[in-house]
Amino acid sequence: MANTYTPIATVEVGSGGAADIEFTSIPATYTDLVVKVSARSTSSSGDCRIELNGSGGTAYSGRLIYGDGSAAASASNSGQALMSWGAGAINRSTTTSNTFANTDVYIPNYTSSNNKSVSTDSVEENNATQAYSQLAASLWANSATVTSIKLTPSGSGNFVEYSTATLYGIIRTPNER
Amino acid sequence: MTHKLVVDCSTGVVTEVELTAEEIAQREADAVAFAAQKGS
């Protein structure tokens, strides 16, 4: 098991909010990347997307399972311009004030010449019956090293003040394969 | 809201960057496309 968890960069959204959070010039010196996100959106739409390397195009696909407090469901897509569920759930504007969703994004082997997979585990916080928790598996069909990660709330939402995102680098231990 | 926060991981510097017209248009297009995929 990897025993390093090196913080690379962190950002906290200021009083003006922000449309996107983007990590650029990511060093290629780690094995895996992790992004930990605590976020709330101005939109009533409750997901957060990821775009790698500003690539756009149609190379993204995803699989999602989620619960909303009452029922479970799933969704999938392909040929997308971004990872629709890559950065997980984000607290919607309709949720309890001043609460934030928590998300872990794991990007293994981000410097490899293979397609890139992304695993996402997240939960929304809400003092009501409806609160989303979701797991997503996403794919970027591209062989390039990941050098930038952009997070964008769905529904043209913006990150509210005090939303945070931290990027970590993971280095596998010498005895791992 | 027309700006994004860009974090340069080589320096740690965080910069506010105005969205381009193209980026704003893409956000709107993505919002419409996404609405059909999951209703949360």
Side-chain angles (χ1 to χ4, degrees):
Chain A
M1 173 157 183
N3 65 354
T4 61
Y5 230 84
T6 306
I8 298 172
T10 191
V11 61
E12 178 177 307
V13 176
S15 59
D20 306 311
I21 294 173
E22 186 170 6
F23 294 97
T24 64
S25 302
I26 297 172
T29 51
Y30 300 94
T31 311
D32 307 333
L33 296 173
V34 170
V35 187
K36 289 184 175 287
V37 186
S38 173
R40 181 180 180 90
S41 174
T42 58
S43 171
S44 60
S45 181
D47 292 281
C48 194
R49 296 101 164 244
I50 280 182
E51 184 178 10
L52 301 175
N53 293 9
S55 57
T58 58
Y60 296 100
S61 58
R63 301 290 183 269
L64 172 73
I65 56 173
Y66 64 98
D68 65 0
S70 300
S74 64
S76 65
N77 62 23
S78 61
Q80 301 295 303
L82 39 72
M83 290 182 182
S84 302
W85 309 295
I90 185 170
N91 258 55
R92 296 161 288 145
S93 57
T94 53
T95 58
T96 304
S97 298
N98 303 316
T99 58
F100 292 74
N102 290 292
T103 298
D104 274 12
V105 180
Y106 202 96
I107 308 174
N109 300 313
Y110 71 103
T111 63
S112 84
S113 57
N114 298 318
N115 293 341
K116 306 301 181 302
S117 61
V118 175
S119 301
T120 309
D121 182 353
S122 67
V123 62
E124 180 185 59
E125 183 175 348
N126 191 23
N127 188 23
T129 299
Q130 188 182 64
Y132 285 87
S133 60
Q134 57 192 58
L135 297 170
S138 305
L139 179 73
W140 181 40
N142 194 296
S143 61
T145 293
V146 175
T147 58
S148 72
I149 301 171
K150 184 168 74 174
L151 313 176
T152 303
S154 60
S156 297
N158 299 307
F159 291 104
V160 305
E161 185 180 17
Y162 304 126
S163 294
T164 62
T166 301
L167 176 66
Y168 295 88
I170 305 290
I171 299 177
R172 68 182 178 191
T173 54
N175 61 350
E176 289 184 309
R177 296 292 183 267
Chain B
M1 180 59 51
T2 56
H3 73 265
K4 59 183 177 182
L5 296 178
V6 178
V7 190
D8 186 328
C9 295
S10 66
T11 63
V13 173
V14 180
T15 308
E16 286 190 5
V17 179
E18 292 296 315
L19 296 185
T20 65
E22 184 180 55
E23 286 177 316
I24 293 172
Q26 186 63 54
R27 279 170 58 86
E28 298 300 326
D30 291 343
V32 171
F34 182 81
Q37 297 172 10
K38 174 173 172 271
S40 68

